[in-house]
Amino acid sequence: GAGVSQSPRYKVAKRGQDVALRCDPISGHVSLFWYQQALGQGPEFLTYFQNEAQLDKSGLPSDRFFAERPEGSVSTLKIQRTQQEDSAVYLCASSPLGRTDTQYFGPGTRLTVL
Amino acid sequence: AQSVTQPDIHITVSEGASLELRCNYSYGATPYLFWYVQSPGQGLQLLLKYFSGDTLVQGIKGFEAEFKRSQSSFNLRKPSVHWSDAAEYFCAVETRDDKIIFGKGTRLHILP
């Protein structure tokens, strides 16, 4: 079956632009996670959904970051007024049930802010 | 605060040689521990995980890891590496509030 997919795979934005990153989790997976991976670093947790409910958004770095999963399946991470420090790979992961289940990661979206 | 340290940024081994990647964690209770591998252009793939029980954990692709509470370590090992093992490896710990904290990674290079 299909794994986690993310689109676009690469995004270049001018500083100040808004961007939207999409994640398609594995069908039927309840939990969905977003991570930010800066160059040379490990992934850092951004936010977590269980179905359509956003249960934890403590990792979102600022109020310019917003995530949604309105129907409990596809999720979108939106970044408003992008800044250069937002340049990173944004990873999405899904798991069948709760947070202690194995997380399956997508290939990521590489965002470059000029 | 919980943290994960991978002291080696880069490791180079010859194909067929044994491998050990180091991981130390800081956590107040028995942790959930993970090793992930990330190949270029690919997503993270779980190699193995430790929740409880036997401290020697077997994973995919011939990898294993040993949890040593006294040393706060969870080192990853493989008896004989293959060129396809060249990738970045991340150790991670799951915290009390169910967040996963990753180390900064170790990049593995394989010499032919």
Side-chain angles (χ1 to χ4, degrees):
Chain A
V4 177
S5 61
Q6 293 185 245
S7 61
R9 292 291 311 276
Y10 303 90
K11 177 68 179 177
V12 178
K14 292 182 179 178
R15 192 173 56 173
Q17 281 185 331
D18 297 350
V19 298
L21 312 180
R22 176 187 170 104
C23 172
D24 284 83
I26 294 172
S27 178
H29 277 197
V30 169
S31 296
L32 186 145
F33 308 80
W34 282 98
Y35 294 86
Q36 181 190 58
Q37 186 176 17
L39 189 64
Q41 303 293 316
E44 292 192 1
F45 171 83
L46 292 177
T47 187
Y48 160 60
F49 290 85
Q50 191 171 90
N51 295 309
E52 69 278 4
Q54 189 174 19
L55 299 187
D56 188 340
K57 55 181 180 179
S58 61
L60 296 176
S62 77
D63 59 7
R64 296 185 296 104
F65 286 71
F66 172 76
E68 60 183 5
R69 194 186 185 197
E71 297 179 356
S73 177
V74 171
S75 178
T76 304
L77 176 67
K78 297 178 179 177
I79 309 173
Q80 297 176 324
R81 305 180 304 281
T82 52
Q83 303 295 315
Q84 283 190 322
E85 61 263 28
D86 300 334
S87 296
V89 175
Y90 291 84
L91 297 168
C92 176
S94 69
S95 71
L97 293 171
R99 296 173 83 154
T100 53
D101 282 333
T102 297
Q103 295 184 22
Y104 297 85
F105 283 80
T109 294
R110 180 177 297 278
L111 172 64
T112 303
V113 181
L114 302 177
Chain B
Q2 300 95 346
S3 65
V4 176
T5 302
Q6 293 181 248
D8 303 305
I9 298 174
H10 294 273
I11 289 277
T12 301
V13 299
S14 297
E15 190 169 16
S18 63
L19 170 71
E20 183 168 31
L21 301 182
R22 296 183 291 164
C23 173
N24 293 94
Y25 64 90
S26 171
Y27 189 65
T30 301
Y32 293 166
L33 294 160
F34 308 83
W35 274 100
Y36 284 86
V37 61
Q38 187 175 40
S39 299
Q42 304 294 314
L44 288 159
Q45 182 181 22
L46 181 68
L47 287 175
L48 47 78
K49 60 186 177 183
Y50 171 78
F51 284 175
S52 65
D54 193 347
T55 56
L56 185 62
V57 181
Q58 301 296 321
I60 62 171
K61 304 185 179 186
F63 285 92
E64 66 178 26
E66 186 170 13
F67 170 58
K68 292 186 177 180
R69 183 190 304 275
S70 61
Q71 298 176 17
S72 297
S73 70
F74 189 58
N75 294 350
L76 182 71
R77 302 194 294 247
K78 186 169 184 177
S80 176
V81 297
H82 186 262
W83 63 266
S84 60
D85 293 325
E88 185 127 28
Y89 291 80
F90 293 93
C91 181
V93 62
E94 184 166 330
T95 66
R96 274 194 197 92
D97 55 358
D98 300 330
K99 289 187 178 62
I100 293 183
I101 296 176
F102 287 85
K104 293 188 176 183
T106 297
R107 183 166 293 279
L108 175 64
H109 305 271
I110 306 294
L111 294 175

